[in-house]
Structure formats: structure tokens, C-alpha cells
Amino acid sequence: MPFQLPISRRKFMQSASLLTVGLAASRSWLPDALAAAHTRLPLQEFNYSDVSLASNFHNKQLEETHSVLMGLSEDSLLKPFRQMIGQRAPGDDLGGWYHYDPNYDWHSFDAGFAPAATFGQWVSALARSYAITGDRKIRDKVLRLNRLYAQTISGDFYENNRFPAYCYDKLVCGLIDSHRFVGDPDAYGILEHTTDTALPHLPEKAVEHGRDWRPGKDESYTWDESYTIAENLFLAYQRGAGERYRALGIRFLDDEYFDPLSEGRNVFAGRHAYSHVNALCSAMQAYLTLGSEKHLLAAQNAFDMLEAQRFATGGWGPDEMLRAPDSEDVASSLTNTHNSFETPCGAYAHFKLTRYLLRVTRDARYGDSMERMMYNTILGAKPLQPDGRTFYYSDYNFQGRKVYCDHRWPCCSGTQPQVATDYRINTYFRDPRGVYVNLYIPSSVRWTQEGTAVSLIQKSSYPFESVVQFEMTAARRQEFALNFRIPSWAEGGSISLNGKRIMAPLIPGSFATVRREWKTGDQIELALPMTMRLEPVDHRHPKTVALLCGPLVLFAITSTPPVVTSRQLLAAKKTGNQNWQVETATAPLHMLPFTAISDEQYSTYLVVS
Ligand SMILES: [Zn+2]
């Protein structure tokens, strides 16, 4: 594919072509100039099993989502696949979006909207869960599900399906994860059969939301998301599923969207939010797989455009729509909708996008963005329920509440279990010189540094306390770098080593690097002062503000938001581990982080006088 390669971006291309020719080649022959480019190689992800989390919030979400998935009957999971191709389909119907109804009328928007659409995501989440826990019961379930699914592969599934590309994309994800994490020896054979069967029912190229491409079908058949599928196709190619997946990835790149973005033109207005942020992950994979500079630029520019229209929580896309730059829409949404941010799907796409961008650029602001979204949206989502009740929208209305979606088993029931597995791979990254600590979550990580077994334990009550402690274990003394993300709000931070302050002040919005010879017992203490600050919903509404403490948005627990001043908000006092209080002219105002809210009415934004 003939990509434009501006000279000014040559540095990036060196790293990209190094990646493309393969990391297997020994570095010893590289001349110094090229070895320098090595520092520009993308950071590597850790394996799921290299990181363990000791955080209740994160572990509970994983346990809850995965007990739901493990409890689903295999006949129920296979039922819509079997029904859609005319096979006998015993077992209970899961209902909700998962249900198949040949006479489904989309105007009712009721049960039957997207039969079997979450199957591939659930297989993927189970495979990742096995990578974390090593629990044989999970592995056996994945192997059984893939074999049962393989008996249902038929063109009729795609013909009778509103979302052939969406379903195919999730099935690809489930199968490549089954191959990689479960070692399913049949996964790529099943993937080949799936691809051969699906392709005649997919469009020739990426078709944008709302375009008619299948004759004789109603409007709901134009809501498929073929413009998002390149990412998993490129991943299939990278993981050895075959050359055809590289070609398919290129075929489905949505350049109608990426071309203007790469030139800095904002084409967000009116586009479906989650799927178009998810599509940016395909642009990042086009960069990582093909070395396409244009697609990296598209994703970087789009991230900036998204930052300019996000809420203080990190969420975006009220009523599932991206908005024109500088419009009134985001501020208006605080009164005219409760569907503020499609949380599990949006967080899943956002974490992937920022993970790719952080790995490629090493820019700490992508880590800041992940952290903001994690604490203020998905980590506070209501738990997935065995009957399919799912948390879908975060509500930033002045009269907000946490509620379950009206529909059972919606799209977000597919992504929430995947998000729950992936906190591990968001927390730490590495390069040949050492490790990057991106998120501050009680955890441990282990790796081998130039032949030395090393592990790092992280302890803290962050973000409810400002100090994070690390303890090193190394099989022998070993030199390497530890890089700590210093959030952009953390003015006046410091790092101490074995009780002695070694770095202060730290530069907010960067990674602070400590390179030395490490030994067992070394203690690092990172202090990140939790700055209180106000963030307006946009520059036109400077008096409509959210209160933040470090990475946390503090939500006002009230049914009638009172009149307050900026000064009163900024003087909020911590009254408990996860409680704050603001004194107002009338009554004290109770403030909570999203993770501490249950059913109380709240307001994300307050209007200051
Ligand atoms: Zn969703």
C-alpha cells in the first residue's frame, strides 16, 4: 500500500520498519544510529500472567463478570447460532439482544436486536481470564465452546444477521485469543472456516454507519461496523493466522474517516461514538503492522479531538454521538439526556487506543487519560448480572443516577468482561531498558531483565492517598530503569529511594526515570500530591464545573444541586477514606467518587456563582 512518508516523520518510520522486518533479528549488528532508533520501538505489553492485582475494585469486577460467563449454559450460548441456520437448538433462551427472532422488528428495539453478537467477546474474555488464573475449568469451557460453535458455521448466520461484520470481528477476536492464551490447536482452523464463510456476506470495503449496502434489507441492516474490523484482522496476521489477514486488514481500513483525520480535519460530527473510537485502534494497528505513518497521525489527531470534547470523567459521546468541535452539544447534554457515555464499550475502545498510543509515543498523557476513564467510569459500573442486566450508560445529567440498561445482554455485556481482564496489561509496560509503571494499582509484576529474575510489588491506597510504595526483589544486582508516570495534575511530586529523597520536584505529564543498579529490598516511595481543581464542561461554560481531586471526579450527592462558589468547592474537605464534604451557604454537600456511588442521585457538574 503506497503510504505517504513525510521526511519529518522519518524517525518514526525507522522504528516502524524495524518492527516490520521483525524483532527476531539480533540487534548486535545494528549500527549506532539504528540502535538509537531502538528506543523508539513501541513499548511491549506484559503477559496477563506476569501481573497480579491486589485491588478489590479491579478483582471484584473480574470475579463478578467471569462468574456470570462461567455460569452461562453452552446450549444457551449456541442457541441463536443453531436457530439461525435451522439446526435443533435445545436449552434456555438467554433473551435480550442475544435472542434470535426471525420476525424481529427493529422499531420495537426489544429482544432480538443482535443475536449471538457477544459470543466471540465472551470467548475472548474467558481465554484472557485463563491466561490470568490458569484455571483448567475456564480452558475446558473455551475449548468446548469453540468446537460447538464450529459445528454451526454457515452463511445463513451472516445472511440472517443485521451485524455480519460486527459478529465476525468478535468471533475473530475470540479465536485468536483462544489460540494465544488457551493454546486451542483448532482455533486457526475454525478461524479459516469462519472467514471463508463470512467473507461473501461482508461488504467489499469498510462501509460507514447508516449506508445501505445490502439490497432488500431494512434500515437496521445499515448499522453494522465493518469500519472497525481491521484491528483484529491485523492482530490475526501478527499472531501467525496467515497472510490473508494482513490483506483483509488493509481492505477494511476506513480511509474515508482516517484520511481527513490524518490531515487534522475534524470529521467527528454525527459519527457513532464508540465504534469510531474503536476504529482508531484499526488505524493504530495499520501503523504497527504496516508502518503506515498516515494512520498513526489519524489516531493521534483524533485523540486530541476527543480530548477536546470529553467530559471531566474521561467519557465522551453523549447519546452515542461524536460532536462537532466547539459545539454546544456536550454542555446541553447535561440537561437533555441521561445517556452520557456508553461505558463498557467506550472504555474498552479507549483503553486499547490509549494503550497503543502510549506504547508508540511514550507520552504520559495517554496514561493520564486511561487513569481518568478507569476511576471515573468503568470501575464504578454496576456489576454484570447472570440474567443479562448490564450497565450501559454513565449519566452526567444534573439529575444523574446509576442504572441498568433497559435491554438484557447488550453490546456492553460483551466488552465489560474484556475490560475486567485487561487492567493488568494497562498497568505496566516494558522495553529492553526497563519497566514503565503506568497505573497506580496495588499489584505486583515480574519479568526477566537481562537474565535476572526481577519482581516489583506496588502498595498504596491511591488515589485516596497520595503516596505509592514499591519494593524490589531481584535474583542478583541488576541495572535497569524504572519509569513512573507523573500525572499532569501532580504538581510538587517526589521520589524517595530507601528513605532518601532522590528526585523532586517531578515534571507533571512525563515519565520520571530512575536508572540504577537494583537489589532485593530496595524501597521506592512516590508522592503524587492530590491537587484539587475545577474543570469546566467547555470553554463557553466556565461556570459549569466538575470538581477533581487527583484523577478522581468528585460527584455531588444531591437531588437539587445547590448554589456554590469555586472557592467553596476547592476547599472540599476529606471526611472519610472515600468521602469529601463541601460547605455551602445552606447545607453541607456530600461528594463521592464514582466507585462509591450506588443508587443515590448525583450531579457530575455544578454551576458556580
Ligand atoms: Zn456497548
Side-chain angles (χ1 to χ4, degrees):
M1 225 175 166
F3 295 111
Q4 297 292 316
L5 302 178
I7 296 294
S8 61
R9 290 286 173 157
R10 186 178 284 160
K11 252 190 161 171
F12 268 124
M13 279 316 300
Q14 282 178 344
S15 63
S17 49
L18 274 176
L19 181 77
T20 313
V21 296
L23 291 166
S26 159
R27 280 189 60 237
S28 58
W29 58 270
L30 291 174
D32 284 353
L34 270 181
H38 186 76
T39 60
R40 303 303 309 217
L41 280 174
L43 296 174
Q44 296 163 28
E45 289 177 8
F46 276 93
N47 296 318
Y48 287 90
S49 56
D50 294 333
V51 180
S52 25
L53 299 187
S55 151
N56 266 341
F57 289 123
H58 300 81
N59 287 342
K60 204 163 148 247
Q61 194 170 72
L62 184 65
E63 281 156 23
E64 283 166 349
T65 52
H66 286 263
S67 79
V68 169
L69 298 194
M70 286 303 286
L72 291 175
S73 125
E74 284 150 34
D75 274 337
S76 298
L77 287 168
L78 269 298
K79 195 174 182 90
F81 287 107
R82 290 167 172 165
Q83 288 173 318
M84 287 167 83
I85 66 167
Q87 281 183 1
R88 206 176 68 83
D92 291 338
D93 195 322
L94 288 183
W97 281 20
Y98 205 82
H99 167 74
Y100 175 58
D101 172 3
N103 302 312
Y104 175 79
D105 174 5
W106 67 270
H107 296 91
S108 72
F109 212 63
D110 213 341
F113 182 58
T118 41
F119 179 87
Q121 292 166 309
W122 289 340
V123 170
S124 154
L126 287 168
R128 294 176 193 185
S129 193
Y130 172 70
I132 293 167
T133 62
D135 179 347
R136 301 288 297 189
K137 289 198 292 295
I138 302 176
R139 179 174 190 269
D140 292 347
K141 182 148 185 141
V142 170
L143 294 176
R144 283 197 306 274
L145 284 173
N146 285 342
R147 274 142 198 78
L148 290 169
Y149 155 72
Q151 292 165 24
T152 72
I153 298 172
S154 157
D156 288 346
F157 174 72
Y158 297 97
E159 196 49 38
N160 293 327
N161 200 318
R162 236 162 246 94
F163 306 108
Y166 184 100
C167 290
Y168 170 67
D169 179 51
K170 312 315 172 208
L171 290 166
V172 172
C173 183
L175 288 164
I176 63 177
D177 281 357
S178 298
H179 175 86
R180 179 166 182 181
F181 302 122
V182 170
D184 183 346
D186 294 346
Y188 283 175
I190 301 171
L191 176 62
E192 279 297 280
H193 190 189
T194 298
T195 300
D196 290 339
T197 306
L199 279 179
H201 303 275
L202 300 185
E204 264 314 297
K205 59 187 187 60
V207 176
E208 284 266 340
H209 198 99
R211 293 238 185 102
D212 199 6
W213 63 275
R214 297 168 86 183
K217 303 282 189 184
D218 70 44
E219 187 188 335
S220 66
Y221 284 77
T222 70
W223 302 337
D224 198 11
E225 297 174 5
S226 55
Y227 50 92
T228 70
I229 72 176
E231 181 193 16
N232 280 319
L233 294 166
F234 283 133
L235 281 169
Y237 161 72
Q238 285 178 24
R239 295 185 194 174
E243 190 66 33
R244 77 186 299 198
Y245 296 97
R246 182 180 182 276
L248 280 170
I250 293 170
R251 174 174 146 190
F252 284 100
L253 281 172
D254 185 11
D255 284 335
E256 182 181 331
Y257 177 46
F258 299 140
D259 282 342
L261 289 176
S262 70
E263 294 157 8
R265 281 189 285 135
N266 191 324
V267 289
F268 273 4
R271 279 187 152 95
H272 179 245
Y274 149 67
S275 59
H276 283 88
V277 173
N278 198 32
L280 299 172
C281 299
S282 292
M284 286 308 294
Q285 273 299 339
Y287 172 71
L288 290 166
T289 309
L290 311 171
S292 168
E293 185 67 16
K294 176 184 88 175
H295 290 97
L296 173 61
L297 275 174
Q300 286 178 307
N301 291 340
F303 176 84
D304 293 344
M305 294 167 195
L306 200 58
E307 271 285 287
Q309 61 174 264
R310 63 157 172 76
F311 295 98
T313 60
W316 32 255
D319 287 326
E320 297 195 32
M321 209 66 90
L322 296 174
R323 305 295 170 153
D326 235 3
S327 80
E328 284 286 325
D329 294 358
V330 176
S332 312
S333 79
L334 303 180
T335 43
N336 66 23
T337 186
H338 292 272
N339 302 342
S340 309
F341 173 49
E342 184 186 352
T343 298
C345 289
Y348 185 61
H350 197 90
F351 289 154
K352 285 189 298 156
L353 175 64
T354 46
R355 198 159 66 225
Y356 286 134
L357 284 167
L358 174 63
R359 287 175 53 207
V360 168
T361 65
R362 303 174 185 222
D363 187 334
R365 72 198 188 105
Y366 299 118
D368 286 7
S369 172
M370 287 167 95
E371 175 177 70
R372 185 188 277 264
M373 177 165 286
M374 181 176 76
Y375 287 118
N376 301 308
T377 79
I378 185 67
L379 210 54
K382 282 176 166 290
L384 182 65
Q385 297 291 338
D387 63 2
R389 273 176 299 152
T390 303
F391 186 74
Y392 194 117
Y393 294 117
S394 289
D395 180 357
Y396 305 141
N397 195 287
F398 287 115
Q399 322 259 313
R401 274 191 198 281
K402 267 189 198 175
V403 293
Y404 280 112
C405 175
D406 292 341
H407 309 285
R408 290 188 296 135
W409 307 118
C411 50
C412 290
S413 70
T415 39
Q416 192 166 338
Q418 291 182 297
V419 171
T421 58
D422 286 1
Y423 293 124
R424 282 159 177 76
I425 59 167
N426 297 340
T427 304
Y428 300 96
F429 297 87
R430 63 175 304 193
D431 74 358
R433 293 158 196 257
V435 162
Y436 283 69
V437 183
N438 180 48
L439 296 178
Y440 300 111
I441 300 175
S443 59
S444 61
V445 56
R446 52 183 184 169
W447 72 100
T448 304
Q449 186 73 40
E450 291 163 57
T452 303
V454 180
S455 70
L456 184 69
I457 296 175
Q458 180 184 167
K459 290 180 188 167
S460 78
S461 301
Y462 180 99
F464 307 109
E465 299 292 341
S466 61
V467 173
V468 189
Q469 281 146 345
F470 297 87
E471 184 173 333
M472 181 71 70
T473 306
R476 59 171 177 268
R477 283 173 175 266
Q478 179 69 48
E479 186 179 333
F480 59 89
L482 285 180
N483 305 275
F484 301 95
R485 182 177 55 84
I486 311 306
S488 60
W489 45 260
E491 296 286 344
S494 63
I495 294 177
S496 302
L497 176 68
N498 299 329
K500 224 194 224 162
R501 183 172 284 203
I502 54 164
M503 286 177 86
L506 303 170
I507 303 165
S510 71
F511 278 93
T513 300
V514 183
R515 186 177 178 89
R516 70 187 301 266
E517 194 181 82
W518 297 98
K519 60 179 192 311
T520 294
D522 279 342
Q523 309 268 348
I524 306 128
E525 198 170 276
L526 172 67
L528 298 170
M530 295 286 160
T531 331
M532 280 281 183
R533 62 206 189 278
L534 300 176
E535 198 175 284
V537 67
D538 61 34
H539 70 92
R540 288 164 196 251
H541 302 85
K543 294 189 171 229
T544 305
V545 299
L547 175 63
L548 288 101
C549 175
L552 295 174
V553 173
L554 301 181
F555 295 73
I557 306 303
T558 173
S559 48
T560 45
V563 177
V564 286
T565 65
S566 301
R567 188 185 292 239
Q568 285 168 334
L569 282 175
L570 288 168
K573 285 272 171 305
K574 206 166 175 211
T575 51
N577 185 28
Q578 298 179 35
N579 292 269
W580 282 259
Q581 191 163 296
V582 169
E583 299 304 330
T584 74
T586 50
L589 186 57
H590 189 200
M591 310 290 289
L592 290 176
F594 198 57
T595 46
I597 296 175
S598 44
D599 297 319
E600 316 86 315
Q601 191 170 313
Y602 63 82
S603 188
T604 312
Y605 287 88
L606 293 167
V607 179
V608 291
S609 58

